[in-house]
Structures are given as structure tokens and as C-alpha cells.
Amino acid sequence: MSGSVNENQIEKYPSNTITPEDTKDEKKLPLDSPTTAPQGELYELEPKKEGFFESIINDFKPATTTRGDGAALKRSLKGRHMQMIAIGGAIGTGLFVGSGSSLANGGPASVIIDYTLIGIMMYFTVYALGELAVAYPLAGGFYTYCMRFIDPGWGFACGWNYFLNYFVTFPLELTTCAITFKYWTEINSAVWISIFLFLIIFINLFGVKGYGEVEFILSTIKVIATTGFIILAIIINCGGVPTDHRGYIGGKIISHQPFRHGFKGFCSVFTTAAFSFSGTEAVGLAAAEAENPRKSLPHATRQVFWRIAIFYVVGLLMISLLVSPDDSDLMNNSSNTSVSPFVLAIREAGIKGLPSVFNAVIIISVISVANSCTYIASRTLHALALNKNAPSFLTYTDRLGRPLMAMILVLAFGFIAYINEAKNKSTTVFNWLLAVSGLSSFFSWGSINLCHIIFRLAMKKQGRSLDTLGFVSPMGIWGSCIGLGFNILCLIAQFYVSLFPVGGKPNAAGFFQGYLAAIVVVVFFIGYKIYDRTYIRSLADIDLDTGLHTFEDLSDNNNEKPRNAKGRIKQVLKNVC
């Protein structure tokens, strides 16, 4: 039979009857035909026309096929989606708003140094994740690597902690969206929460395509706005704004009080900077739904260097030159966008209109974060269920590749945002919810680096060549060792700040809100080990084959030669530049 045949339209007929008229030349039968044909013959059935509403209903039916990793997710993310997810993934409230409290607590020098150090750590981490994700583009991202390379118990603990982080953050971001509008109006927050919750639900109806397109658009806006701010900040600093009475500023502000609150302030900025980069690892999770992870993921990971260098380091350098750490607005509630140093820098220059424009950019950033929260939380929960670490009904995936039950659970939790109306208790409730997973990023990034280290050691132990991999991290195993060390330092710094908070005295509530997540991870890990009694596998016993995509499997060009060790220096320069 010529032409391609949709497997859903193929049917085998028993051999006890024949079809003398209908099967002579034309092997096509209507869907409701009662006729049968000789055994083994395949007949293409005419597709049944579906109405608009019938098509929508059918899209929610179970997926008919699964991939090698057991998931039925669709590979719909294009290269441009992956690039913007990588570039704009961490540009959000952590940069636009959280940097304000960092400036007030640690001073401009601490901000520049700490954000640069954390950026270097993320550079190593994302490259390690890129190598693993190209080799194993599986549902669940780094969680599945923890299960395979470290220990099933550790994977269980980190997977649930990672899910809870974005699960809890979702309603908080909806609340932040509502509070952001107070810059213009005092309309009840519940109105804005309802609008944004409906918007996020609507976006998720389009599955991974909806996530990819929305992130592409919103990340593009964030990148343009941040780039525009840097240019404007240079003009303001040089005295090029007529409405700014300060004239030429230069380094007057940054040299006045470069460090604040000593070593304690430095540590507090160190941890805040790390939280600001949360979401960078989403590009590895999205690899499971990328059209061509071998091609798009390496290119996306290379964007991390420029994002760190331009948007964070240069952007915060300009903020440090324009906004004084003594500004009283910076010490206000960090959920209020009036404390955004970006908005303050524009407002203090006397430029009318632009503060509102940048406030709108912050709203866009918050929507982007909320959209990412639903994507990351639902995919992680779906992967947990696939590995039998969550209830089996959460594995349900519809024909559009949406992990439907996991999505519904995550989106339903968004209604917790309405607790914001209980003004006396809302802050306390959200603080304790966030405390459950507050250190998730450190455990996630540290685990990614550790997975890469063990993966490389297992490759060497089992005599495997790196030339077979579709993408090799130019930083190698030592880059992952440095990244792991940075994460351990972050956990130590967070412990110190939780025990001795900046501007306050040690107290039990403050400590547990800052470090409760570590206790939760340890409890999850020990509980799993007691229940399942798994053991840590030796390097020789680690499974490197299941789900592995080699260079030859993923290459689009059959004449392309595998990379070797001699070309590693050139590759580093190419990746950086």
C-alpha cells in the first residue's frame, strides 16, 4: 500500500469472509464498514470527521503511545523556545525586586561579587546539566539522573523537594502579581489574582506549545527591557538626563558604603543571589519535550554566559552606581515593587512615565515565573509518578501530551493565593509554605553537579568514550566539582544567616523558616531508605545504556565527526564566545 498510514486508522480483518467488490483495487473502507478481508491484509480507513467540540473533548482522552522513557509527552519545543527559556529563565522577581534587599543588606560591592560568584557556579552547573540532558533527554530532568547515578532515595527526596518548591511558589507569584498593581490602583487583590489564575490555566490548555510560546514572548520582552535599562542607566550615570538634579554620578554612590553589615551581610547576599537564579535548570527539564535536544540544548546552555555577564553583572553594576543602599524604600516589604531598585533608579532620575513602564515589565516577569512554576511542578510530579514515587493516577497524559492530572493538581493549588485576603495570617502562611522547600535550588544544583561527576566516573570505569556523547561539557568533571563546592558553601552561608539574621537576634521561628527545607529533605531520604532499603550502586553497576542517545543517534549530519580531546580548548572558546 503506497503512502503513509496512520496507525490509528489501521485494522486487521479475520480470514473467514471476503470482500469481492470493495477490496479489488481500492484498499480503503469507511469506518463503519461491516465487511472483512483476508487475514494479514491492512486496510487504510477513511478518517472520521470530528466537530470542533468533539475534537476538544477527544484531546483530553488518554495518549495512545508512549516513548522509551514511559512518558507520552510531545516533543514540541523548538530551538527558539529553548534559547529564550535559557536566556529569560532566571530573569524575574529575584533580579528586579530581590536585588533591592541584597543591596540594602550587603551593599553594592557584596551584590556585584556575590552575584558574579553564583553566576560562575550556574555556568558550571548548566553545562553539566546540558551534557546529561542531551545524553538522556528523559521526563523529569535532573530528578531521574539522581535516581540513576546517585541513589533512588536521594532522587526521591530531591524530586519531591523540587516539586514542592515550584508548587508552593505558584500561588505566591499570583499574589505578587496582584500586589504589583497597587503601584497604580488599590483595587482588591482578589480581582487580579482571579485574572492571572485564569490566564495561567488558559495557557496550560495549549500544553507544552503554550508554555514555549508564552516564554518566548515574555522572555523577549524581559531581555529587551533589561538591555534598555542598562543603556538608560549609563546615560543617567553620565548626567545625560536633564531632569536628574544629581548630574554626573560616576562612582560616588558605590564608593560611599561598598559593604554593609560585614560578613553577615555578605553571606545574606550570597544566598539571595542564589535564589535569584532559581529556574535556570528548567532548560534541562524542557529537554524531554524539545524537538531536537542534540541541536537546541547545547546552543541554549551557551546563552547562560551572556545572561550572567550582561543581565545580572552589568545590570546590577549599574544599579549599584545609581541607587544608594541607604534608601529607605529598599528595606520595605520585598513583595512590594516600589522597592525594586530598577524602578527606584528611574524614578530618582525624574523620568516621568518610565517607572510605570518598568513596573509593567515586572508584572510580565512575574507572569513568566508563574507560568514556569506550573510547567516545572507538573512535569516533575508526572516524572515522580512514572517512577512510582507518586500516585499512579498522576501518570495520566492526554493526546496532546499534557500530563493532565498533574497539571490539574498544580493549577488547583493556585487558588491558595486567595488566602492573601486574610491579611493578618497570609504572610505567616506563605512564609512557612516556602520554608518547606526554601533550599530546593541548592539541593537541585548540587545534585546535578554530583550526577555529572558520577556519570563521568562511571563512563571511565566502564570504558566508555566521551566522543560518543552528543554534547560534552567543556568544563569537564572539575567544573562540576567547583559547582558542587559552591552549593555546599551556599548551604553553609544560609545556615549562618538563618541562625544569625541580618538586623535581628537569633530566634527559632526565623531559623526554621530559613532551614526547614534541609530537614524535610533528610526526613524524605531516610524514610525512603527505611521503606525500600536500596543501596548505593558501584560505578561498574550503574546503568549507562537505558535511554542513552549517542552522538550518532542524535546527529543531523552523518559526515559530522565526533569531538575529541584535542579540540576541547577550541570548544571552550567557541562556547564562551
Side-chain angles (χ1 to χ4, degrees), residues 227-251:
T227 305
F229 173 82
I230 292 173
I231 297 172
L232 175 63
I234 294 174
I235 297 173
I236 295 173
N237 185 263
C238 294
V241 179
T243 56
D244 191 354
H245 65 278
R246 296 172 295 179
Y248 175 75
I249 300 173

Side-chain angles (χ1 to χ4, degrees), residues 10 39 58-59 74 80 86 115 143 161 192 236 274 429 460 552-553:
I10 296 296
Q39 185 175 11
N58 288 337
D59 286 340
K74 301 291 185 181
R80 61 185 178 89
Y115 274 83
Y143 152 71
N161 187 249
W192 302 114
I236 295 173
V429 172
K460 183 177 181 180
E552 292 76 11
D553 295 332

